[in-house]
């Protein structure tokens, strides 16, 4: 019988595949709205783990969030920027994806 390998993060068997979910839940994100040029609101989501930004997962998450709220945006310096004021809806969307939002 082969010995199960244990996860470095959760300490549970690797075959459960919960490392990514566990790591995501350990991040504490913040959502705020800033006024940009001509008084236009921009929703900013910050506090992501730098490893997430390196893998390109942040761009994929930004794309999903922008599609959900029907707005444009970008990823800049590890922060997701979405056009418009979505502070009321964004925390719920992030929680659905397993993130902890302050």
């Amino acid at each position: 019988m082969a010995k199960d390998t244990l996860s470095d993060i959760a300490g549970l068997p690797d075959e459960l595949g919960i490392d990514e979910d566990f790591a995501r839940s350990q991040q504490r994100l913040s959502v705020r709205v800033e006024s940009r040029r001509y008084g236009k609101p921009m929703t900013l989501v910050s506090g992501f783990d730098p490893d997430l930004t390196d893998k390109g997962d942040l761009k994929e998450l930004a794309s999903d969030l922008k599609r959900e709220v029907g707005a444009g945006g970008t990823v800049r310096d590890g922060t997701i920027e979405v056009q418009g004021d979505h502070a009321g809806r964004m925390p719920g969307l992030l929680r659905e994806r397993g993130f902890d939002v302050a």
Side-chain angles (χ1 to χ4, degrees), residues 9 17-27 52 55 57:
I9 296 174
I18 64 167
D19 278 353
E20 187 176 314
D21 293 337
F22 187 74
R24 187 178 300 150
S25 71
Q26 296 302 305
Q27 298 178 62
L52 184 67
K55 291 193 279 186
D57 293 340

Side-chain angles (χ1 to χ4, degrees), residues 26-44:
Q26 296 302 305
Q27 298 178 62
R28 186 148 183 105
L29 305 182
S30 65
V31 177
R32 69 182 188 280
V33 177
E34 288 184 358
S35 182
R36 293 288 173 100
R37 187 186 301 196
Y38 306 114
K40 300 282 185 177
M42 178 75 74
T43 303
L44 305 173

